[in-house]
Amino acid sequence: MKKVVISHRLHDDGMAVLEKANVKVAITNNGDPKAMLPELLDAEGLIIRIGSIDRETMLAAKNLKVIGRPGVGVDDVDVEAATELGIPVVIAPGANTRSVAEHAFAFMFAAAKDMVHSDRELRKGNFNIRSSYKAFEIYGKTLGLVGYGHIGSVLAKMASGVGMKVVVYDPFVAPEAITEQGYQHETELNAVLKISDVISLHVPLTPKTKNLIGAAELKIMKSSGILINCSRGGIIDEAALAKALEENQIHSAATDVFENEPVTVDEPLFKYDNIIVSPHMAGQTKEAASGVATMAAEGVIAVINGERWKNVCNPKAYEHPRWNQ
């Protein structure tokens, strides 16, 4: 019987796909490569919900044919090694687009209305928090999007629908694809940071986007600006953000992701009232969790059975000799 290892249990709909495929499933409840390796030695498939996989582990897991990610982020997978070894990395594009865009949209309103801070203060008996006048209206304000992929484009429509102006920076998207939607295109990140009331990040974590928003960029933002991150931890320099929040350089921030996950109670950003946090759950709605789990499971089963599954981040893996035997 073929075997698939899962770092953590998938949504029931994804588990149902594996059950129907009649494969042996091993759930490690640990995404550390070394912890997963004993189960991977005789496995053909791996699905990583939380965790990572490196070259050393892939080389040791000689039967491994496919790696699945219930989402689109692959920064925790050594994709170069997987490609060299002919191991496709299955992703689930589009399945959580709406959920993540809605989360960023909710963050924007919650931050602009100072909702979470006011909630905490009211529970302490501070009714006068209502007179802090930190809340502001979204209508007529400018949303700056850093990244205009599936999620960014959906968020742009939402923001436009409530009367916001939209400005976009994405060097990988043709300017006309942005301007034809009625949005403003900027060729420089700093230009977007300078004119936007809300900045929302929607880019993958790569060496080029690591600490994309640091101390210099935070100083360019408006003092009344909001910074939102529903993409990946590490895109914002967290130490610089902490300093900016402490010194009230910006209005507030909201993040669903952290450089080191899972976070612990001593996370430095937790001590500031002008940041809203959530536990990397933007893509974890019922609908999205079902969609990404199903797509990842279906892709992994297909590749195990010899199919060249379309939704992979490294199609060059199919050029490996193992796919031409």
Side-chain angles (χ1 to χ4, degrees):
M1 180 180 288
K2 296 175 181 178
K3 179 180 177 182
V4 175
V5 174
I6 308 174
S7 68
H8 300 79
R9 183 179 175 85
L10 302 175
H11 185 279
D12 287 349
D13 293 343
M15 298 303 295
V17 171
L18 299 176
E19 183 178 350
K20 185 178 179 181
N22 194 32
V23 296
K24 179 182 178 182
V25 176
I27 304 175
T28 61
N29 289 313
N30 190 325
D32 182 86
K34 291 182 175 61
M36 293 188 292
L37 182 55
E39 290 288 359
L40 285 171
L41 292 176
D42 62 345
E44 295 183 70
L46 167 65
I47 300 177
I48 305 173
R49 269 197 63 203
I50 305 170
S52 62
I53 183 76
D54 54 22
R55 179 184 296 268
E56 182 181 359
T57 306
M58 290 182 214
L59 289 170
K62 299 188 181 300
N63 293 320
L64 191 63
K65 294 180 178 178
V66 59
I67 297 167
R69 279 283 297 123
V72 293
V74 292
D75 45 286
D76 289 326
V77 177
D78 189 334
V79 177
E80 181 180 353
T83 304
E84 289 176 10
L85 296 170
I87 301 173
V89 180
V90 171
I91 55 175
N96 62 4
T97 294
R98 184 78 191 185
S99 293
V100 178
E102 287 184 0
H103 201 89
F105 196 55
F107 263 166
M108 178 170 64
F109 274 90
K113 304 305 179 184
D114 198 32
M115 282 186 172
V116 176
H117 177 221
S118 297
D119 174 277
R120 286 196 294 260
E121 288 299 306
L122 183 57
R123 291 171 189 269
K124 296 175 186 176
N126 182 12
F127 192 77
N128 288 331
I129 191 65
R130 68 192 291 269
S131 298
S132 67
Y133 303 114
K134 193 175 181 182
F136 65 84
E137 294 181 3
I138 285 295
Y139 179 80
K141 301 298 191 297
T142 298
L143 169 65
L145 290 172
V146 180
Y148 190 70
H150 294 298
I151 296 169
S153 61
V154 170
L155 181 57
K157 291 179 181 178
M158 293 179 180
S160 182
V162 294
M164 296 187 77
K165 302 172 186 176
V166 177
V167 181
V168 179
Y169 166 74
D170 191 327
F172 300 101
V173 175
E176 55 270 22
I178 295 166
T179 55
E180 69 184 11
Q181 297 299 317
Y183 311 136
Q184 181 177 332
H185 172 263
E186 291 290 345
T187 58
E188 298 293 334
L189 171 62
N190 287 355
V192 175
L193 297 175
K194 186 175 181 179
I195 65 177
S196 300
D197 299 289
V198 181
I199 301 291
S200 193
L201 307 176
H202 300 283
V203 295
L205 178 61
T206 68
K208 289 187 177 181
T209 61
K210 175 73 173 175
N211 291 335
L212 181 68
I213 305 297
E217 289 72 27
L218 287 160
K219 287 179 181 178
I220 294 171
M221 286 181 61
K222 292 182 179 181
S223 60
S224 58
I226 296 171
L227 178 62
I228 295 171
N229 188 8
C230 287
S231 50
R232 278 291 185 271
I235 293 172
I236 298 175
D237 180 334
E238 292 181 0
L241 176 59
K243 187 174 186 294
L245 294 172
E246 185 172 10
E247 298 178 357
N248 292 306
Q249 289 181 23
I250 61 175
H251 177 279
S252 55
T255 186
D256 183 53
V257 290
F258 299 84
E259 187 166 3
N260 297 305
E261 296 182 359
V263 292
T264 56
V265 293
D266 58 353
E267 163 60 45
L269 290 173
F270 287 178
K271 68 180 182 181
Y272 301 107
D273 287 328
N274 49 349
I275 184 170
I276 303 170
V277 297
S278 57
H280 205 150
M281 59 177 283
Q284 294 296 306
T285 58
K286 295 177 181 178
E287 297 86 352
S290 171
V292 297
T294 299
M295 289 179 71
E298 288 176 344
V300 165
I301 294 301
V303 175
I304 285 176
N305 290 330
E307 181 180 338
R308 299 191 181 207
W309 189 251
K310 179 181 178 181
N311 292 326
V312 299
C313 73
N314 59 337
K316 285 190 175 181
Y318 295 130
E319 297 175 9
H320 191 276
R322 72 191 300 177
W323 283 92
N324 298 302
Q325 294 175 355

